[in-house]
């Protein structure tokens, strides 16, 4: 069994010293905006949710006015200002949090999130309608309001300016939410399970904290992760790249797949 832990020289040779020399793993979420590997949590402000009642009231008032009238334009401007205020508060929050992380850390590890894919609609089609469409719409609104994509962009350019190393783990390959940070075994969990309890090594942690530790450990060994040999690629494989079949399949690998379609003698 492989037991992972903080190596004595983990920070040596990984990146140039920034303002601080701390190393942190981050798991972004909705219940808490960020969960750090040592257990600290950054709360999610949820400014859009707080403003929804006021926003709905203004939109109802505007709906009762004649389109193009003076009162209609006034209400439209108030709605725009409310949206702008929400965006300004979100941007200010993200700037403060990302700057604080970069200033105190020499290594920041997190997942390479794709908010556009995470917030896809569940509506489906007329032939195959989706399920729980309204619930998914509310979840999508919270995902976009949290500003994960903007936070990743800010961390990227601020880390480059400060000399901080930013590691973005390949989520599909690493599976941080399903992997144990203690023994590196996969422990399948449903989304409703918020505690990680490993049956292999007995490690018990909050699910998000365990995920943050997994991405941090992956950042220390990006080319040969201990325990399974899983390596986090900085970029996904190209769509044109040849994907070899698994050796465990019964069908043998055809030589023409490797030679571009023809067998060369």
């Amino acid at each position: 069994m492989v037991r992972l832990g903080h190596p004595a020289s983990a920070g040596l040779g990984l990146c140039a010293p920034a303002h601080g020399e701390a190393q942190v793993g981050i798991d972004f979420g909705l219940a808490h905006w960020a969960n750090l590997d040592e257990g600290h949590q950054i709360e999610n402000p949820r400014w859009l949710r707080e403003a929804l009642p006021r926003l709905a009231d203004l939109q109802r008032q505007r709906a009762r006015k004649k389109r193009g009238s003076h009162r209609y334009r006034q209400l439209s401007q108030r709605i725009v200002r409310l949206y702008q205020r929400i965006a300004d508060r979100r941007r200010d929050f993200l700037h403060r949090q990302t700057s604080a992380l970069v200033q105190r850390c020499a290594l920041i590890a997190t997942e390479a999130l794709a908010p556009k894919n995470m917030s896809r609609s569940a509506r489906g089609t007329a032939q195959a309608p989706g399920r729980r469409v309204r619930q998914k719409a509310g979840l999508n609104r919270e995902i976009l309001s949290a500003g994960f994509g903007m936070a990743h962009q800010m961390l990227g350019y601020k880390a480059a300016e400060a000399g901080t190393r930013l590691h973005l783990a390949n989520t599909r390959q690493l599976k941080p939410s399903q992997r144990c940070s203690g023994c590196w075994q996969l422990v399948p969990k449903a989304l409703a399970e918020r505690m990680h309890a490993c049956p292999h090594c007995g490690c018990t942690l909050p699910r998000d904290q365990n995920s943050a530790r997994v991405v941090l450990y992956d950042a220390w060994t990006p080319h040969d992760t201990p325990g399974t040999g899983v390596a986090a690629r900085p970029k996904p494989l190209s769509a044109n790249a040849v994907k070899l079949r698994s050796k465990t399949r019964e069908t043998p690998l055809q030589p023409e797949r490797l030679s571009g379609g023809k067998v060369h003698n």
Side-chain angles (χ1 to χ4, degrees):
M1 180 183 296
V2 177
R3 176 67 62 175
L4 300 181
H6 292 255
S9 58
L12 300 180
L14 288 178
C15 52
H19 297 286
E21 296 184 357
Q23 303 180 42
V24 64
I26 307 175
D27 180 75
F28 291 101
L30 297 180
H32 302 281
W33 184 75
N35 299 267
L36 308 187
D37 62 288
E38 79 277 7
H40 180 68
Q41 296 172 332
I42 301 175
E43 295 299 325
N44 188 357
R46 299 182 186 273
W47 289 300
L48 179 58
R49 178 184 290 186
E50 294 177 359
L52 279 179
R54 179 58 179 161
L55 183 61
D57 180 61
L58 290 174
Q59 291 174 337
R60 281 193 296 266
Q61 293 183 44
R62 187 179 64 173
R64 292 193 292 264
K65 308 302 177 184
K66 182 179 179 180
R67 182 179 293 272
S69 66
H70 177 68
R71 184 58 177 161
Y72 185 94
R73 291 195 299 270
Q74 279 187 330
L75 289 170
S76 298
Q77 291 175 0
R78 292 176 64 180
I79 292 173
V80 170
R81 285 198 296 269
L82 182 56
Y83 272 121
Q84 187 62 50
R85 184 167 183 267
I86 296 170
D88 290 343
R89 296 179 70 184
R90 179 191 303 116
R91 190 180 300 107
D92 176 70
F93 170 79
L94 295 177
H95 271 299
R96 287 188 286 106
Q97 297 298 334
T98 54
S99 296
L101 287 170
V102 169
Q103 287 174 5
R104 74 180 183 88
C105 297
L107 170 62
I108 300 175
T110 186
E111 299 179 55
L113 299 177
K116 183 177 180 180
N117 296 337
M118 296 164 59
S119 58
R120 285 179 178 173
S121 173
R123 184 173 301 174
T125 62
Q127 294 76 16
R131 298 176 55 191
R132 299 184 177 180
V133 178
R134 294 186 63 182
Q135 291 88 335
K136 185 60 168 65
L139 178 62
N140 293 344
R141 181 175 60 241
E142 293 293 331
I143 292 174
L144 296 176
S145 177
F148 298 137
M150 189 182 298
H152 275 59
Q153 293 178 358
M154 291 181 180
L155 283 174
Y157 73 77
K158 291 181 181 182
E161 293 174 356
T164 298
R165 179 182 171 221
L166 176 63
H167 175 79
L168 299 178
N170 189 311
T171 304
R172 291 189 176 182
Q173 187 177 7
L174 186 62
K175 297 180 175 62
S177 61
Q178 307 296 329
R179 193 173 297 279
C180 177
S181 61
C183 63
W184 217 245
Q185 296 292 325
L186 288 176
V187 183
K189 295 181 288 293
L191 185 59
E193 298 181 50
R194 306 315 302 171
M195 287 296 297
H196 166 77
C198 181
H200 305 284
C201 67
C203 176
T204 303
L205 287 170
R207 176 178 178 146
D208 297 330
Q209 183 182 358
N210 176 76
S211 300
R213 289 189 177 188
V214 169
V215 294
L216 178 60
Y217 296 158
D218 181 71
W220 291 338
T221 53
H223 302 295
D224 184 19
T225 303
T228 61
V230 174
R233 295 191 300 264
K235 294 182 179 180
L237 289 176
S238 170
N240 299 325
V242 178
K243 298 181 180 179
L244 301 178
R245 293 188 179 183
S246 173
K247 295 181 180 180
T248 60
R249 293 187 179 182
E250 295 180 358
T251 306
L253 183 65
Q254 301 298 327
E256 56 267 20
R257 283 185 175 272
L258 299 177
S259 59
K262 295 184 180 180
V263 179
H264 301 279
N265 297 326

